[in-house]
């Protein structure tokens, strides 16, 4: 063979897949009344952030809850793992909104 260095191009398989960077953790999906949600409050770069969490739901349901909270509170937010992050100190308002929807808190 003329070329020894570089990729080996013999055969029909050319594996170009990248490994999944996301961890495929098995989540247990629970109903609303079995969740015991917890609040944490942080300051990131001087700005207040409210974390509501451990939502053990499928991604679609988490996104719907986030959408509801962002709409009712008129603030920004995101989902990180099982936690929902909301901009500002909105703990009391979030608790009221989610209790009306049937969620429980510690």
């Amino acid at each position: 063979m003329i070329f020894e260095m570089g990729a080996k191009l013999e055969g029909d398989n050319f594996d170009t897949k990248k490994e999944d960077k996301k961890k495929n953790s098995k989540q247990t999906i629970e109903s609303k009344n079995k969740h015991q949600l917890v609040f944490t409050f942080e300051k990131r770069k001087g700005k207040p952030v409210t974390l509501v969490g451990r939502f053990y739901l499928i991604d679609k349901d988490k996104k719907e809850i986030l959408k509801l909270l962002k709409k009712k509170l008129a603030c920004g937010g995101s989902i990180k793992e099982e936690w929902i992050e909301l901009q500002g100190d909105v703990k009391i308002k979030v608790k009221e909104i989610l209790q009306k929807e049937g969620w429980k808190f510690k």
Side-chain angles (χ1 to χ4, degrees):
M1 181 173 227
I2 298 173
F3 298 102
E4 290 295 325
M5 295 176 56
K8 295 185 180 181
L9 302 174
E10 299 136 7
D12 293 332
N13 311 8
F14 302 111
D15 190 16
T16 58
K17 287 194 307 188
K18 292 183 180 178
E19 293 181 26
D20 287 336
K21 292 182 181 179
K22 295 182 181 179
K23 296 177 183 175
N24 291 331
S25 61
K26 293 189 178 187
Q27 296 180 351
T28 58
I29 298 172
E30 296 180 4
S31 63
K32 285 183 185 182
N33 57 1
K34 291 187 179 181
H35 278 79
Q36 291 292 319
L37 301 178
V38 179
F39 287 100
T40 58
F41 179 75
E42 296 180 2
K43 282 201 169 188
R44 296 185 182 168
K45 297 182 183 177
K47 308 229 177 176
V49 176
T50 303
L51 298 169
V52 183
R54 291 296 181 190
F55 286 94
Y56 298 105
L57 300 170
I58 58 175
D59 290 336
K60 181 180 176 185
D61 292 339
K62 285 186 220 174
K63 288 178 184 178
E64 287 184 21
I65 294 168
L66 177 63
K67 186 176 179 181
L68 170 79
L69 290 173
K70 285 170 53 175
K71 187 174 182 180
K72 296 269 185 182
L73 298 171
C75 68
S78 66
I79 298 173
K80 303 276 173 110
E81 296 175 10
E82 287 91 29
W83 294 89
I84 289 182
E85 297 181 358
L86 296 166
Q87 294 175 352
D89 187 8
V90 291
K91 176 181 175 181
I92 297 167
K93 294 177 184 177
V94 170
K95 192 171 184 178
E96 291 172 3
I97 292 168
L98 290 178
Q99 280 179 341
K100 287 179 185 176
E101 295 290 320
W103 296 90
K104 290 186 178 181
F105 296 91
K106 278 189 177 179

